[in-house]
Amino acid sequence: MNKVKVLDKEFVVSITKDKIQDAVRKMADKMNADLKGKDIIFMGILNGSFMFAADLFRQIKLDCRITFLKLASYQGTTSSGNVKRLIGLHEDIKGKTVIVLEDIVDTGITLDNIKKQLIGYEPEEIKIATFLFKPDAYQKDIPIDYVGIEIPNDFIIGYGLDYDGFGRNLEEIYTLAV
Ligand code: IMP
Ligand code: MG
């Protein structure tokens, strides 16, 4: 299936499942080598990271845990457009090595927000892993410790990423057709 239509838009395959699995394996290998002996907790950021997190986690050979967090818009009168609160953090992460798992880092605004909130829980260190990274769109200077694949600044779907909620179930990554 080289082309798909999702809602009103056409998409074409840009990253095959073999390339995806290859990149995930390389990330896992690097983590397995880097993170030995640390008290680790992986934190997948929902919704987009669930597929990447599942594939990566299967290949992690360390003693570790995983949990999932979500960003929710503030409710009520204090609501301010872009500020989102991290919800679902029930574990004590004080003194631990937290590895944030993101599906994609685009501008980096989301990542910056997540990192600032996590620092408040006093982890030993925060490492960032993103499956996809758009270097041309990145506006922050937070170092990203693990990157799966760098991609151009185009809109993509599949492998957990959505267009208006759809397309997350696609096994390959698709780019908006021009
Ligand atoms: P940010 O610009 O780095 O804050 O990216 C915010 C979020 O936008 C990501 O976590 C994704 O959920 C979403 N996003 C960014 N680029 C894409 C894309 O190309 N396709 C689908 N979702 C995207
Ligand atoms: Mg996301």
Side-chain angles (χ1 to χ4, degrees):
M1 207 169 42
N2 218 23
K3 275 191 180 172
V4 288
K5 188 154 193 245
V6 176
L7 301 174
D8 59 326
K9 297 198 190 325
E10 287 235 4
F11 294 84
V12 289
V13 170
S14 58
I15 308 174
T16 62
K17 50 186 168 187
D18 287 354
K19 282 202 177 134
I20 291 171
Q21 292 308 325
D22 225 54
V24 172
R25 199 170 316 112
K26 287 193 177 117
M27 293 177 88
D29 288 348
K30 192 160 185 275
M31 289 176 184
N32 286 329
D34 284 356
L35 302 170
K36 276 199 185 79
K38 291 181 185 278
D39 188 1
I40 299 163
I41 184 159
F42 286 93
M43 288 197 168
I45 308 302
L46 295 172
N47 293 324
S49 79
F50 72 98
M51 219 176 263
F52 162 56
D55 283 346
L56 179 87
F57 199 58
R58 261 188 281 256
Q59 306 205 41
I60 295 296
K61 309 297 179 199
L62 308 161
D63 294 325
C64 59
R65 283 157 291 192
I66 188 165
T67 190
F68 290 87
L69 305 181
K70 194 165 177 129
L71 285 167
S73 298
Y74 283 105
Q75 298 294 313
T77 47
T78 55
S79 176
S80 111
N82 269 328
V83 187
K84 291 190 168 177
R85 186 172 56 96
L86 209 46
I87 57 168
L89 184 54
H90 306 301
E91 277 76 9
D92 182 13
I93 62 168
K94 193 170 176 172
K96 298 192 170 87
T97 294
V98 169
I99 301 159
V100 173
L101 301 179
E102 266 285 21
D103 50 351
I104 188 166
V105 173
D106 187 325
T107 62
I109 292 168
T110 307
L111 180 63
D112 186 51
N113 182 6
I114 290 167
K115 192 167 180 188
K116 283 188 178 133
Q117 293 190 55
L118 286 176
I119 286 169
Y121 294 88
E122 299 177 50
E124 164 74 19
E125 58 183 338
I126 300 172
K127 292 192 177 283
I128 310 296
T130 186
F131 183 59
L132 299 167
F133 180 50
K134 293 181 179 172
D136 297 338
Y138 196 50
Q139 299 170 7
K140 301 287 173 181
D141 43 30
I142 301 167
I144 302 181
D145 303 275
Y146 303 94
V147 174
I149 302 174
E150 289 193 358
I151 60 168
N153 194 8
D154 299 320
F155 187 74
I156 52 120
I157 57 165
Y159 197 60
L161 287 123
D162 72 302
Y163 167 45
D164 240 1
F166 290 91
R168 295 193 196 273
N169 50 328
L170 296 165
E171 270 189 293
E172 324 214 58
I173 290 170
Y174 290 74
T175 303
L176 194 56
V178 281

